[in-house]
Amino acid sequence: MTQRTERRSSRLSGFYQQPLADRLATVAAWAGLDEAEQSVLQGAGGLSLAQAEHMIENVVGLYALPLGIATNFLINGVDYLIPMVIEEPSVVAGVSYAAKLARAGGGFSTSADEPVMIGQIQVLDLDDLESAAQRLWAARERLLAEADCCDRTLVSLGGGARGLELRPFPHTPAGPMLVVHVLFDVRDAMGANAINTTCERLAPLIEEITGGRVNLRILSNLADRRKATATCLVPADALATGGMSGSQVVRGIVEAAAFAQVDPYRAATHNKGVMNGMDAVAIATGNDWRALEAGAHAWAAREGRYTSLTEWWEDEMGNLRGRIELPVAVGIVGGATRVHPVARVALKILGVRTASELAQVMAAVGLAQNLAAIRALATEGIQRGHMSLHARQIALAAGASEAEVNEVARRLVDEGQITAARAAEVLRELRERGR
Ligand code: NAD
């Protein structure tokens, strides 16, 4: 707790205008990064080929992405700087701006379920689903005790088996099927390995009890026992723009949210914006963003129709309120979180002490990222802010050097013609003039 009260504000005014080296120095001082940790951020991805060799198969190289820092986050009264790894321009700037808006209303309030994951065991070739289910239910204490034998470390840390659920599917293309859910508290891990080991260990016992045949034994990515929730309030005044009053912007945002609620075509894009932020934090911290994506989208479709992950409404004072709730299966131990050197530094910058705290931070980031997108869409549109960075990317892709990129990008934006072909022409003209 002492560390928390000593932390400075994450409201780093002018941070984006600082040269890169100064920005790093600011973050290093803020998070107490030593020389070695700072140099990890400055290498090409911070990962050595030797480390990569141990992570996946058939390695031939490394792939680096930018790591940016989102500022202004105040969550449950605590300031956070948020490391984000992403290739898309405007995400980090957008989320920082939205966090500033939420800060004007007291920041984000978050909560999370216990870190309980679901393992699934598929049982087939059963004569009678109901009596098999009854026998399993009668043996549940024995099954849960067996599950607790798999990962003694987790049990000693307060995790372990929490319950059993039985899901009969009498009519499937593969015949009658009984699916056994094992609920398991994985504490600070994402938990895939503990769950999968448990499922494999329980399978022979389940076959013995039911007389059936077990096929799949694997965790579910619809981690709906492990949800995180974030809410925020943005004072209407803070949303006023040059051309629109605060209450007009509130109305525009609420209308945008209603669009995503009723129309899956819009909800997909709306939720993609949420995941822009959450994935970027997942990647920065070495977490499995595909697992996060799978859980989020399955949750968004839980009622049989794909819908929005967030809600936005106007309160009785005319202010904007927002809420997100979704499964967030992430860890601060295990997987790549402690293996990837940059992930270790990212976790230190975040300063989270539990996986639950990380999940809550990520929910706040998802809500803020969504606010950034729909605020821009409901006001000036997203292209204006996006275009200068986009033009820089186009200029770099056309072969512009560090010294040329700003000039090429500026010309593309001024001309309103941000295309690869025009970038190549501008670059040619620039180089001919320079000869
Ligand atoms: P892991 O097995 O590397 O580490 C978790 C283990 O660390 C725990 O089981 C426990 O024994 C130990 N531990 C030590 N301190 C702990 C603490 N405080 N809290 C909890 N555990 C602690 O990691 P994992 O989280 O099981 O695996 C995550 C990886 O599994 C992800 O990177 C993911 O890519 C991969 N994976 C995902 C899926 C899927 O999503 N469907 C399937 C298979 C594998």
Side-chain angles (χ1 to χ4, degrees):
M1 274 326 246
T2 349
Q3 190 204 346
R4 287 307 159 74
T5 46
E6 283 168 3
R7 265 197 193 182
R8 281 174 286 172
S9 169
S10 62
R11 176 84 193 86
L12 303 179
S13 173
F15 182 69
Y16 75 102
Q17 287 162 321
Q18 289 181 348
L20 191 154
D22 293 2
R23 264 186 245 130
L24 176 59
T26 303
V27 173
W30 201 93
L33 303 184
D34 63 25
E35 291 284 328
E37 288 162 336
Q38 290 177 54
S39 69
V40 160
L41 294 181
Q42 295 183 297
L47 191 69
S48 70
L49 279 169
Q51 288 163 321
E53 270 281 67
H54 295 299
M55 290 176 74
I56 63 162
E57 310 75 34
N58 299 1
V59 170
V60 296
L62 300 171
Y63 185 131
L65 284 170
L67 183 147
I69 298 288
T71 57
N72 302 329
F73 272 85
L74 183 66
I75 304 172
N76 300 332
V78 177
D79 275 282
Y80 292 86
L81 290 181
I82 317 272
M84 300 177 78
V85 169
I86 188 161
E87 85 297 346
E88 185 177 345
S90 305
V91 170
V92 178
V95 84
S96 301
Y97 182 68
K100 190 166 102 181
L101 292 175
R103 199 178 177 93
F108 298 90
S109 299
T110 64
S111 61
D113 299 334
E114 291 297 311
V116 172
M117 296 292 286
I118 300 169
Q120 298 195 290
I121 300 155
Q122 178 194 26
V123 196
L124 298 144
D125 298 349
L126 292 167
D127 297 331
D128 180 353
L129 282 189
E130 195 154 327
S131 74
Q134 275 168 3
R135 286 198 298 278
L136 280 174
W137 191 246
R140 65 188 179 282
E141 294 305 329
R142 185 176 159 212
L143 286 161
L144 296 180
E146 185 69 18
D148 271 343
C149 293
C150 292
D151 196 328
R152 285 284 168 209
T153 314
L154 258 177
V155 173
S156 72
L157 291 165
R162 291 290 182 263
L164 211 66
E165 285 176 349
L166 301 169
R167 291 160 49 82
F169 294 95
H171 308 290
T172 85
M177 191 184 291
L178 181 63
V179 177
V180 182
H181 277 190
V182 186
L183 309 185
F184 202 94
D185 185 323
V186 295
R187 295 286 91 199
D188 290 322
M190 182 270 187
N193 287 317
I195 296 290
N196 295 341
T197 311
T198 304
C199 291
E200 290 188 8
R201 180 162 180 145
L202 292 185
L205 197 53
I206 287 175
E207 285 183 334
E208 182 196 311
I209 295 168
T210 60
R213 174 178 58 86
V214 166
N215 187 30
L216 302 196
R217 299 146 294 167
I218 179 79
L219 102 160
S220 169
N221 285 114
L222 177 49
D224 61 2
R225 304 309 159 91
R226 197 181 187 181
K227 296 186 301 301
T229 303
T231 60
C232 71
L233 176 156
V234 183
D237 290 352
L239 288 162
T241 66
M244 290 171 83
S245 71
S247 59
Q248 280 175 317
V249 178
V250 171
R251 191 179 326 130
I253 291 174
V254 172
E255 288 165 354
F259 184 3
Q261 217 167 18
V262 298
D263 181 1
Y265 286 92
R266 174 58 208 153
T269 325
H270 183 94
N271 293 344
K272 189 272 183 182
V274 169
M275 301 315 289
N276 270 345
M278 296 186 67
D279 283 345
V281 182
I283 298 171
T285 54
N287 272 290
D288 183 339
W289 72 96
R290 289 87 53 208
L292 196 67
E293 286 273 348
H297 296 296
W299 174 251
R302 68 193 176 281
E303 277 160 16
R305 185 176 57 84
Y306 187 83
T307 188
S308 168
L309 288 166
T310 62
E311 296 166 75
W312 293 96
W313 67 98
E314 183 178 345
D315 71 10
E316 61 286 359
M317 306 294 286
N319 297 321
L320 180 70
R321 286 188 186 259
R323 182 175 191 276
I324 189 170
E325 181 179 40
L326 77 174
V328 187
V330 292
I332 60 165
V333 300
T337 60
R338 301 276 166 106
V339 174
H340 198 297
V342 177
R344 276 205 303 269
V345 175
L347 282 167
K348 180 160 179 183
I349 295 170
L350 272 169
V352 290
R353 290 162 303 180
T354 61
S356 163
E357 188 181 353
L358 176 60
Q360 293 177 59
V361 167
M362 286 171 65
V365 169
L367 186 63
Q369 201 74 64
N370 181 230
L371 172 60
I374 55 178
R375 190 210 65 89
L377 287 167
T379 55
E380 79 260 15
I382 59 164
Q383 286 308 77
R384 209 183 76 185
H386 194 67
M387 275 307 146
S388 64
L389 268 174
H390 177 56
R392 287 171 61 87
Q393 269 191 347
I394 295 277
L396 284 172
S401 68
E402 223 10 74
E404 295 163 332
V405 69
N406 282 341
E407 176 61 14
V408 177
R410 190 189 57 74
R411 293 255 314 259
L412 298 181
V413 172
D414 287 352
E415 292 170 7
Q417 212 187 327
I418 307 174
T419 64
R422 184 62 192 141
E425 278 168 23
V426 170
L427 196 58
R428 215 169 21 250
E429 285 165 25
L430 209 69
R431 286 176 181 171
E432 274 163 15
R433 245 192 293 141
R435 273 208 203 112

